[in-house]
Each structure stands twice: as structure tokens, then as C-alpha cells.
Amino acid sequence: MNMLIAEYDYDVDIAVQREEEREIALQEGIVQGEAKGFSLGIAQGKLEGISEGSYKAKLETAKLMKHTNCKRDFIMQMTGLTKEEVESIS
């Protein structure tokens, strides 16, 4: 009957508990890190989209101004576009 009863070892028990706690903490950290990374990615994507949309609006405004014969310097001043950007608009 003694063969069926395992001897309890406190140190081993504590070591196993600590390892389990480390694994749980690691998994929680991974989940939190993924969530934070996802949120940051969404925010960065929105900012890039807004920036790109703003630039396209400037190009469209410059195009309209160019078609109404506004001078290049005036177009640059009003839109913030460079000389090269304004000249490349057809």
C-alpha cells in the first residue's frame, strides 16, 4: 500500500506552483501585448488614412485652382504643396 502513496515534497510543490504562475503571467502578458499592439496599429492606420486623405484634398484643390488659372505661387501658398507637386498636376 505504501507504493500507491506518493511522498509529498513541499519544495517541489512550491516550484511547480511558481512555474504555473509564471506561465499564467506570460500568457496574460502576451494577451495584453497583442491587444495593445492591435490598438496602436488601428490608431496608426487611422492617422495615416487621415494624412493621405488630407494630401489628396490638397491635390484636388490645387488642380481646381490650376484649371481656373491661379498662379503657381498662390496655389503653393494656399495648399502647402511644393513647386514640384503643383507642376506635376495636370
Side-chain angles (χ1 to χ4, degrees), residues 11-51:
D11 293 331
V12 171
D13 188 36
I14 295 298
V16 169
Q17 287 179 13
R18 286 183 180 154
E19 183 59 34
E20 289 172 350
E21 289 170 358
R22 275 192 285 273
E23 184 62 30
I24 291 169
L26 176 63
Q27 291 304 320
E28 288 175 355
I30 290 171
V31 169
Q32 290 174 359
E34 287 175 345
K36 185 174 183 178
F38 183 76
S39 294
L40 290 174
I42 294 293
Q44 182 178 358
K46 285 180 180 179
L47 288 175
E48 289 175 8
I50 290 168
S51 177

